[in-house]
Amino acid sequence: MAICSKKLKKHIFIYKKKIRVEHGNSFLEAHPSSMISYCVCFKNEHKIAYLSDQTSNFNIIENNYLTDIAPARTFCFEEEIMYLKSKGLIQGASLEHGIVIGEKKIYPNLRFHDELSRHKLLDLIGDLALNPPFHAKIIGSGTSHYLNTLFARELLNNLI
């Protein structure tokens, strides 16, 4: 077996124009940039009195993915738990790995003051991971896996 010690040069795509996708009140945009960076907002659409909108930013120069983003847990609203279980979802769920947003409080305690938006950011990074490497400033609000998928498709369509 031959081993090649020469490193392959990675091609990174750079978008030359803004790319935007929307779904309802949610959106994702890619702006031209010389590096990859993210700004994602979690919106308190359930209008829970103690819960505010959150914004998280990430870039590989200023942040560490393993300590700043990866520990952000998934979350659901308390009223969704029975429905999710009835659909065969959240089977191995625990408060060690997830957050429940209740009517009066969040449990367990958050790891970060903006853990909900950090988890939305984690989802977005993961959903875009199968795309070819690219540089862009990504801005989003009210993101979801569905919106992330639409966005990934639009990014791919704009490579050509």
Side-chain angles (χ1 to χ4, degrees), residues 35-150:
M35 63 181 280
I36 184 75
S37 66
Y38 300 87
C39 178
V40 174
C41 298
F42 163 82
K43 295 288 190 183
N44 179 13
E45 293 176 352
H46 284 73
K47 306 295 185 217
I48 296 172
Y50 68 86
L51 189 61
S52 60
D53 294 349
Q54 300 177 2
T55 301
S56 292
N57 296 286
F58 177 79
N59 72 60
I60 59 172
I61 294 172
E62 297 175 8
N63 307 107
N64 182 316
Y65 178 82
L66 292 178
T67 59
D68 297 339
I69 303 302
R73 295 165 291 179
T74 191
F75 59 90
C76 73
F77 293 87
E78 192 170 31
E79 68 266 12
E80 298 171 332
I81 292 175
M82 295 309 293
Y83 172 77
L84 293 170
K85 285 187 175 187
S86 76
K87 296 297 181 188
L89 303 171
I90 68 170
Q91 295 301 308
S94 76
L95 291 177
E96 181 181 338
H97 301 104
I99 297 166
V100 175
I101 301 170
E103 196 174 300
K104 298 187 192 259
K105 72 174 204 161
I106 292 177
Y107 45 96
N109 291 331
L110 296 176
R111 292 178 178 163
F112 308 99
H113 73 280
D114 58 352
E115 187 167 1
L116 305 179
S117 60
R118 288 185 194 216
H119 184 77
K120 290 292 188 177
L121 181 56
L122 179 140
D123 284 345
L124 177 59
I125 292 169
D127 289 342
L128 295 179
L130 293 178
N131 276 29
F134 65 92
H135 283 171
K137 179 178 181 180
I138 308 296
I139 300 171
S141 180
T143 61
S144 64
H145 288 292
Y146 177 74
L147 182 64
N148 296 350
T149 302
L150 294 177

